[in-house]
Amino acid sequence: MSNSFISTAPKIGIPGLIENWRSDLLSGFLVFLIALPLCLGIAMASGFPPMSGIITAIIGGVVVSRISGSYVTINGPAAGLIVVIVDAVQSLGQGDAMAGYRYTLAAIVFASVLQILLGIFKAGKLSAFFPSSVVHGMLAAIGIIIMAKQIHTLLGVKPESKALLGVIAEIPHSIAALNPEVSLIGISGLLLLIVWSLIKHPTLKMIPAPLLVVLVGLALGQYFDLDHVHQYLFLPNAEILPHHEFTVGPSFLVAVPENFSAGFYLPDFSKIGTAEFWVAVVTIWLVGSLESLLSASAVDKLDPYKRNSNLNRDLAAVGTGNLIAGMIGGLPMIAEIVRSSANINNGAKTAWANFFHGLFLLIFVALFPKLIHEIPLSALAALLVFTGFRLASPKEFAKTLAIGVDNFAVFVITIIGVLTTDLLVGVAIGIVVELTIHISRGLKLRNTFSMAYQLRQTAPGTYHIAVSGAAVFSNIITLKSLLADFPEGKTVFFDLSDTDLIDHTVMEFIHHFTEDYNHAGGHCEIVGLDKHESYSNHQLSAKRRIAF
């Protein structure tokens, strides 16, 4: 489907359902086929029971779609939160997985209350405080962690180390000790995902790749008889192999309760007085809110009707969904970019597509829980390894380097910081490095958190926004607040001639605002950059004013 601008936006609410139920029902069904395996895989990788991911997606569809401020966004569990949740389960449970799960549910409840407050008090723009390079570094680090942990599951091997760097170091050992039948299921799924990503045929693209991975996994699982514990010989005459006897059984399949109602759990608030509990709360709140806001903004750019989501309302709605999920055993949810872009490509028109995706999940797990049990874990691991690779692909590194060496340095330092410490500390390290670079380039401390600008109406319907001093990620909130409720259909000039320093985050924000404003029927342009030099050849790289 084309993402070009379409003038007549669909109706919303019940009139929207009556008008667009056919396209939204079809898209909701196709997204359900993608969401089912991803929800199971994300839940298990997070240290939660498999059903918790589906519970979250059901709430995200059936409840959040009715109160959110977005149009074609799909809400549900996301790979970007795996690292945060699994860290919380391990730190709070201290070896007891079930206890860690229930303590983390309590942390999700508190994080969701903070998320709701963030939306109610219209604080969604605080996401601007995180520089682009740090956000991309955080997501790339998450991708590396997901790949490192899921490769072992894909190969049918359990790593001995609990520490991340140890898990990464054990990858060669797991490759050498792989379980051939289990690995074949995982590698087949991974190859299928790679091939499907290269196919351009629009009709074939309608078939969700995750569904094909699960179907192939189900077929191979039945062929290898994973339902029953048994041993088998692999290449008994090949002397190069360390051993030839391997065991398979139900432990390599998804473990789900016999009926849907048995998948619900209550949170345990008994660790509320500990420091690690509040670290988990803050991390889930910050990372979940940031990812949700970024994804919702990205989905708006894909929307063929160019509708702008109410991000604060959307954040409060996601927080409400997370509050319900935390109270009954679900993972936290965000606005999920992969499922949302599939939703748009499938022809979704309104938020009812999100509703139908949740409804189909509810019907499926209520009627066919035994079919879920037949899905091999290595097939789900293939989906997650592929997802992790997309977050940390060489393209992401190249794209960041193209913006500038400074941007790339912050990106890489953030990745190293997250991998060697934890997510919050790694992000904080990235922010400090970014600020240090700006200070070395002349950012005055008094300008760190306040941007100087002047708004003038130079003619009827014509506005002149003159920014002076430094315009960097840490003081962009002022500008975001000004533009959040700016009247549409006017002529706007961004005059940057008096800015001494402009970083990539601000350049990117102004560029996107200009594009969106022009799409909506106004006229916006950036002026005054002829006296600035760029730190790289990229159009949106950091710039400084040349002294004359």
Side-chain angles (χ1 to χ4, degrees), residues 181-445:
E181 290 185 353
V182 176
S183 299
L184 181 62
I185 295 170
I187 292 167
S188 300
L190 199 54
L191 289 173
L192 188 55
L193 288 165
I194 293 166
V195 169
W196 218 249
S197 69
L198 301 173
I199 288 173
K200 304 291 183 215
H201 196 283
T203 309
L204 280 176
K205 275 292 197 187
M206 288 286 282
I207 304 168
L211 173 65
L212 293 175
V213 171
V214 167
L215 290 175
V216 169
L218 284 169
L220 289 172
Q222 290 299 307
Y223 179 74
F224 294 137
D225 192 21
L226 298 188
D227 276 319
H228 303 99
V229 176
H230 65 276
Q231 293 182 326
Y232 68 95
L233 289 174
F234 180 72
L235 300 178
N237 299 320
E239 294 181 11
I240 192 169
L241 295 178
H243 61 93
H244 307 278
E245 199 170 72
F246 298 90
T247 303
V248 290
S251 62
F252 292 99
L253 297 172
V254 174
V256 291
E258 287 288 323
N259 59 75
F260 182 45
S261 59
F264 295 101
Y265 290 88
L266 296 174
D268 183 341
F269 292 95
S270 58
K271 285 223 168 182
I272 196 170
T274 64
E276 60 263 29
F277 179 84
W278 289 102
V279 167
V281 169
V282 171
T283 311
I284 294 166
W285 169 53
L286 278 180
V287 177
S289 300
L290 178 61
E291 282 200 42
S292 205
L293 288 164
L294 290 171
S295 297
S297 300
V299 172
D300 281 351
K301 292 183 186 2
L302 299 174
D303 183 1
Y305 298 97
K306 297 298 173 191
R307 294 166 289 189
N308 288 320
S309 298
N310 181 332
L311 294 180
N312 290 307
R313 181 176 169 180
D314 203 54
L315 193 60
V318 167
T320 304
N322 285 334
L323 182 61
I324 299 167
M327 291 302 290
I328 61 174
L331 279 164
M333 72 185 72
I334 66 165
E336 209 284 323
I337 185 70
V338 175
R339 274 157 265 167
S340 299
S341 56
N343 191 38
I344 292 164
N345 292 333
N346 294 336
K349 301 287 192 297
T350 73
W352 286 105
N354 187 14
F355 175 86
F356 286 128
H357 125 272
L359 189 63
F360 281 123
L361 279 167
L362 177 59
I363 293 166
F364 185 85
V365 296
L367 299 180
F368 309 109
K370 287 184 179 174
L371 187 58
I372 294 173
H373 173 62
E374 297 299 323
I375 300 172
L377 297 177
S378 53
L380 299 179
L383 294 174
L384 292 169
V385 168
F386 189 70
T387 302
F389 177 78
R390 286 199 304 194
L391 287 171
S393 71
K395 272 186 187 175
E396 288 300 318
F397 283 76
K399 207 191 306 182
T400 313
L401 181 58
I403 294 164
V405 175
D406 54 337
N407 207 57
F408 187 69
V410 175
F411 173 76
V412 171
I413 289 167
T414 303
I415 292 172
I416 295 168
V418 171
L419 295 180
T420 53
T421 57
D422 62 37
L423 215 117
L424 273 187
V425 174
V427 167
I429 289 169
I431 290 171
V432 168
V433 171
E434 178 91 357
L435 272 175
T436 304
I437 290 170
H438 291 334
I439 290 166
S440 72
R441 288 173 172 174
L443 171 66
K444 295 178 174 63
L445 290 176

Side-chain angles (χ1 to χ4, degrees), residues 47-49 89 93 95-105 265-266 268:
F48 271 38
V89 171
D96 185 336
M98 180 49 71
Y101 164 51
R102 293 187 61 215
Y103 292 138
T104 304
L105 289 177
Y265 290 88
L266 296 174
D268 183 341

Side-chain angles (χ1 to χ4, degrees), residues 138-213:
M138 177 190 80
L139 292 173
I142 287 169
I144 292 166
I145 294 167
I146 291 168
M147 282 191 289
K149 293 192 172 185
Q150 291 303 308
I151 281 171
H152 301 282
T153 307
L154 186 147
L155 298 172
V157 181
K158 192 169 183 180
E160 291 179 14
S161 177
K162 298 291 180 195
L164 173 62
L165 295 179
V167 169
I168 293 171
E170 277 189 54
I171 290 173
H173 173 265
S174 289
I175 293 170
L178 61 80
N179 188 315
E181 290 185 353
V182 176
S183 299
L184 181 62
I185 295 170
I187 292 167
S188 300
L190 199 54
L191 289 173
L192 188 55
L193 288 165
I194 293 166
V195 169
W196 218 249
S197 69
L198 301 173
I199 288 173
K200 304 291 183 215
H201 196 283
T203 309
L204 280 176
K205 275 292 197 187
M206 288 286 282
I207 304 168
L211 173 65
L212 293 175
V213 171

Side-chain angles (χ1 to χ4, degrees), residues 455-475:
L455 172 64
R456 289 181 295 123
Q457 186 171 356
T458 53
T462 302
Y463 294 87
H464 192 91
I465 302 170
V467 181
S468 57
V472 295
F473 76 93
S474 56
N475 62 22

